[in-house]
Amino acid sequence: MVRIAVFASGSGSNYEAIMQYFTKLTSPKAEIALLVCDQPGAGVLERAAKWHTPVLVVERRRFASKKQFEQYILAQLQQYQIDFIALAGYMRLLGPTLLDHYLGRVINLHPSLLPAFPGIDAVGQALKAGVRVTGVTVHFVDYGMDTGPIIVQKPVAVELDDTHNTLSSKIHVVEHELYPKIVYACALGRIYLDGTKVCWQNPDEAVKE
Amino acid sequence: MVRIAVFASGSGSNYEAIMQYFTKLTSPKAEIALLVCDQPGAGVLERAAKWHTPVLVVERRRFASKKQFEQYILAQLQQYQIDFIALAGYMRLLGPTLLDHYLGRVINLHPSLLPAFPGIDAVGQALKAGVRVTGVTVHFVDYGMDTGPIIVQKPVAVELDDTHNTLSSKIHVVEHELYPKIVYACALGRIYLDGTKVCWQNPDEAVKE
């Protein structure tokens, strides 16, 4: 079994979608072995309890430096024998301490069509720019902010009467449909990084169970 | 009749799509009254001859300044009583001489989901960035490069085996379907600019004949 850690800071709706997807696999070759959360009160922790996922709650402010913070997380990931990391609303940049060990084995989900609208509040940025199409990006994580090689993107139409809430909801629907199967395919190495190039072992089969 | 000038520099496939659309209108309220072209050998000129559109061929290098170049075009537009301008592969920025007269009455088509990939070779830029979704944008023209208020956007998927040619072709198909009806709706004022805000008189009816 490939062992995956999900990193989340918020309500955990993408973690939930991942759990539902993995639960339905008939002969899974990967599992969610750990949830890493940097916010003690985050909603994702209730969900993790419900799904019986082991949890690592780790606050940045408990550590003198980002390096020490990540060294602690890294030690725990190694303890849990984590092979692969799926960021799911984790509101921190991964630094070199973690990334040097997991480069090519960390993916992220971002609520825009990158390279448009990186960083925080991508939905608000899109609305402010007045775009009529935005979307969802899954990408390998590199040392930049939402800059890594793109794996897959899906468009979401922005209607004239969309608000931050309605557009966010539509984006969430696409995320929940898309991310779990990409997490699974990447964890299994069906989609992998060769340098900065995203490679698909078999594009037609990669996201099938 | 609202009188429209199409500006083009190249093969004129979008001009062609516009002509086909306007020809099929049963009781058109706008017409293509002039083609403005800055390239004497451009393919669009043959198409204009076929469609019997009056043509203004005007080379930038014949004028000492951009201002004089645009003053000449402006005089011709006024001669032809042009109400509205549709840029269709016109490879120059409109300067203030023209724009001051036609602001809010000039639209442009760009082969990407702006604000991503403005400027030249948007398709090449998208391929180089490795995006999996690009598209088409129609926007009101302002004084910047591909920066004006967005009217409509359509996504186009980038497949793993897409080349510059195959992706360009897919984008052209979307452009040809989209641009003529937006040109018509904007020329008629069904879609209009209020300051920097794009307004639709009646979103459900705007792009119907």
Side-chain angles (χ1 to χ4, degrees):
Chain A
M1 284 292 247
V2 176
R3 294 172 62 80
I4 300 169
V6 173
F7 282 43
S9 303
S11 74
S13 70
N14 276 296
Y15 160 78
E16 183 81 23
I18 290 167
M19 294 312 297
Q20 287 179 5
Y21 179 88
F22 276 67
T23 303
K24 285 182 188 150
L25 294 170
T26 48
S27 57
K29 300 176 190 74
E31 64 187 331
I32 307 306
L34 181 65
L35 176 80
V36 177
C37 179
D38 64 334
Q39 300 291 338
V44 68
L45 296 171
E46 282 180 50
R47 298 189 198 258
K50 188 189 73 180
W51 285 102
H52 305 288
T53 302
V55 162
L56 174 67
V57 179
V58 56
E59 288 181 277
R60 168 66 183 84
R61 66 189 176 90
R62 303 283 180 201
F63 298 84
S65 67
K66 175 157 185 157
K67 184 176 177 178
Q68 285 172 298
F69 170 67
E70 291 203 337
Q71 279 171 337
Y72 176 79
I73 295 173
L74 181 60
Q76 300 294 312
L77 295 178
Q78 289 171 338
Q79 188 78 27
Y80 277 91
Q81 300 177 284
I82 298 302
D83 304 300
F84 187 87
I85 297 171
L87 307 183
Y90 182 67
M91 300 305 283
R92 294 182 182 279
L93 273 183
L94 292 201
T97 306
L98 275 171
L99 255 190
D100 287 349
H101 276 77
Y102 283 97
L103 198 66
R105 295 184 292 143
V106 191
I107 67 174
N108 183 41
L109 176 67
H110 186 81
S112 76
L113 295 174
L114 292 171
F117 315 128
I120 62 165
D121 193 18
V123 172
Q125 291 183 56
L127 287 170
K128 196 170 170 201
V131 297
R132 302 298 307 275
V133 175
T134 184
V136 169
T137 300
V138 182
H139 65 93
F140 283 105
V141 172
D142 66 9
Y143 295 91
M145 164 86 89
D146 301 325
T147 53
I150 292 168
I151 300 164
V152 63
Q153 297 184 302
K154 295 289 174 191
V156 173
V158 184
E159 304 300 337
L160 292 170
D161 56 356
D162 264 325
T163 63
H164 200 290
N165 273 344
T166 60
L167 183 54
S168 295
S169 294
K170 288 193 282 184
I171 286 174
H172 284 316
V173 170
V174 174
E175 287 179 343
H176 299 165
E177 208 284 310
L178 180 66
Y179 200 39
K181 62 188 182 190
I182 299 297
V183 168
Y184 190 64
C186 290
L188 265 53
R190 294 174 178 175
I191 306 169
Y192 61 96
L193 199 57
D194 180 7
T196 60
K197 187 174 155 57
V198 176
C199 302
W200 296 61
Q201 275 186 359
N202 181 342
D204 297 328
E205 300 287 331
V207 297
K208 291 181 186 163
E209 181 182 338
Chain B
M1 287 287 250
V2 176
R3 294 172 60 80
I4 301 170
V6 173
F7 282 42
S9 303
S11 75
S13 70
N14 277 295
Y15 160 76
E16 183 81 24
I18 290 167
M19 293 313 297
Q20 287 178 7
Y21 178 88
F22 276 67
T23 303
K24 284 182 189 148
L25 294 170
T26 49
S27 57
K29 300 178 190 71
E31 63 187 331
I32 307 305
L34 182 65
L35 176 79
V36 176
C37 180
D38 63 335
Q39 300 291 340
V44 68
L45 296 171
E46 282 180 49
R47 298 190 198 258
K50 188 188 73 180
W51 286 102
H52 305 287
T53 303
V55 162
L56 174 67
V57 180
V58 56
E59 288 180 276
R60 169 66 183 84
R61 65 189 177 91
R62 304 283 180 199
F63 298 85
S65 68
K66 176 159 183 157
K67 184 175 177 181
Q68 286 173 295
F69 171 68
E70 291 202 336
Q71 279 173 334
Y72 176 78
I73 295 173
L74 182 60
Q76 300 295 313
L77 295 178
Q78 290 172 336
Q79 188 78 27
Y80 278 91
Q81 301 177 281
I82 297 301
D83 304 300
F84 187 85
I85 298 171
L87 307 183
Y90 182 67
M91 300 304 282
R92 295 181 181 280
L93 274 183
L94 292 200
T97 305
L98 275 171
L99 256 189
D100 286 351
H101 276 78
Y102 283 96
L103 198 67
R105 294 184 293 146
V106 191
I107 67 173
N108 183 41
L109 176 67
H110 187 80
S112 76
L113 296 173
L114 292 171
F117 314 128
I120 62 164
D121 193 19
V123 172
Q125 291 183 55
L127 287 170
K128 195 171 171 200
V131 298
R132 300 297 308 275
V133 175
T134 183
V136 169
T137 301
V138 182
H139 64 93
F140 282 105
V141 172
D142 66 9
Y143 295 92
M145 164 86 90
D146 302 323
T147 51
I150 293 169
I151 300 163
V152 63
Q153 297 183 302
K154 295 290 173 190
V156 173
V158 185
E159 303 301 335
L160 292 171
D161 58 357
D162 264 326
T163 62
H164 200 289
N165 274 343
T166 60
L167 183 54
S168 295
S169 294
K170 288 193 283 186
I171 286 174
H172 284 316
V173 170
V174 175
E175 287 179 344
H176 300 165
E177 210 282 310
L178 180 67
Y179 199 40
K181 63 189 181 191
I182 301 298
V183 168
Y184 190 65
C186 290
L188 265 54
R190 293 174 179 176
I191 307 169
Y192 60 96
L193 200 57
D194 180 7
T196 60
K197 188 173 156 56
V198 176
C199 303
W200 296 60
Q201 275 187 359
N202 181 342
D204 297 329
E205 300 287 330
V207 297
K208 291 180 185 162
E209 180 180 339

